[in-house]
Amino acid sequence: MEGEDMEQIKKCLLQCERTQIGEDDADMEYARQKIEVLTLRKAIHDARLRKNLGNVESTIKMIKSSKFMNIFLHDIQVLEKFAESLRQLKGFTCDLPRLLDALLELRNRNVPNDVVKNTLAALLVLFGCDVDENEDFEDIQLHCKALAGRLSTQKDSSFKEADARRAQEIMEKYTYEEKQCSTMAAAKLHLWVKDVSKKVLNDFKDDS
């Protein structure tokens, strides 16, 4: 609902600008403030949904740099605790049980499609598996079974720059929206691989 409110306010602002209402108009200033608050609320919601450490940290930074920070003091505390819990995962910047659930759901699909296959291939590559995205789905399923067993027992994971870059390249074939239309599990893994790959590449960039 808030997303719809924000879009409606933006449309009204644009209409006001077209009719050349003054920049210092009180209603326009209120609308801009409303958009900023709604944007922050959406960012907080998305950060908790995506469960990605880099995303949570950037959201905290965005809130603290806003003039409306005092409104979100409780949310900052919640996000900081959430970020710390993600750091404890030592490399897994997502809630591991949810990752495994999504992986198993896609692996067990009876009617595979290219979108699901693409998502699983990107995930496997990110974790260092020697996988060709053009392999048969049955072979992809076998790789996923092995990865699921590995993830259920190991407590941490490190990612390589080359694997993160290749995973990103594989995922470029489909958008998040296309995967969302296919299955929510594919969409969730798409976001996870995208977020983790981006963080891995940024970390290597900072170290170089």
Side-chain angles (χ1 to χ4, degrees):
M1 189 65 184
E2 287 184 350
E4 295 176 2
D5 290 344
M6 189 160 55
E7 288 303 314
Q8 188 62 37
I9 294 171
K10 285 181 178 179
K11 288 179 181 178
C12 292
L13 267 179
L14 182 60
Q15 185 63 33
C16 290
E17 290 169 356
R18 286 174 177 171
T19 55
Q20 297 183 337
I21 293 178
E23 286 289 319
D24 57 350
D25 181 82
D27 288 338
M28 287 190 68
E29 180 59 27
Y30 174 78
R32 291 192 184 93
Q33 293 177 0
K34 183 72 172 178
I35 288 175
E36 184 173 349
V37 170
L38 290 175
T39 300
L40 291 172
R41 285 179 178 168
K42 185 177 185 302
I44 292 168
H45 174 269
D46 290 348
R48 298 182 70 174
L49 179 67
R50 295 175 76 159
K51 301 180 185 297
N52 174 265
L53 179 58
N55 182 262
V56 173
E57 290 175 336
S58 64
T59 300
I60 293 171
K61 184 177 179 180
M62 179 172 65
I63 298 170
K64 288 184 175 180
S65 65
S66 169
K67 60 184 176 182
F68 298 107
M69 183 184 76
N70 289 339
I71 299 176
F72 298 100
L73 291 178
H74 175 70
D75 295 286
I76 291 173
Q77 292 178 346
V78 171
L79 287 177
E80 286 178 338
K81 288 181 180 179
F82 188 36
E84 183 57 33
S85 69
L86 291 175
R87 291 187 192 99
Q88 297 302 315
L89 295 175
K90 299 179 181 178
F92 289 103
T93 53
C94 171
D95 182 4
L96 186 55
R98 290 178 181 269
L99 173 62
L100 282 169
D101 286 344
L103 172 60
L104 293 173
E105 179 182 333
L106 294 185
R107 191 198 81 191
N108 294 327
R109 283 179 66 91
N110 294 323
V111 184
N113 59 46
D114 288 340
V115 173
V116 170
K117 184 178 172 183
N118 172 270
T119 306
L120 292 175
L123 178 71
L124 290 165
V125 165
L126 179 62
F127 276 97
C129 301
D130 185 15
V131 175
D132 185 337
E133 60 180 308
N134 296 316
E135 288 185 32
D136 292 336
F137 187 70
E138 290 77 10
D139 294 329
I140 295 288
Q141 286 177 307
L142 290 175
H143 286 296
C144 287
K145 182 178 180 180
L147 177 61
R150 201 174 101 200
L151 295 182
S152 63
T153 57
Q154 72 184 78
K155 299 301 182 183
D156 57 53
S157 181
S158 58
F159 302 100
K160 296 180 180 178
E161 180 182 11
D163 293 335
R165 199 174 302 281
R166 187 174 163 224
Q168 280 190 340
E169 291 172 354
I170 291 173
M171 286 205 309
E172 286 177 357
K173 186 175 181 180
Y174 298 100
T175 65
Y176 169 75
E177 288 73 22
E178 288 173 316
K179 294 191 176 181
Q180 197 174 29
C181 290
S182 173
T183 165
M184 280 306 301
K188 289 177 182 177
L189 283 185
H190 177 93
L191 286 179
W192 191 85
V193 173
K194 179 180 178 181
D195 287 340
V196 174
S197 298
K198 181 179 179 181
K199 186 176 189 307
V200 170
L201 294 176
N202 285 341
D203 288 346
F204 274 97
K205 183 178 179 181
D206 292 339
D207 292 340
S208 61

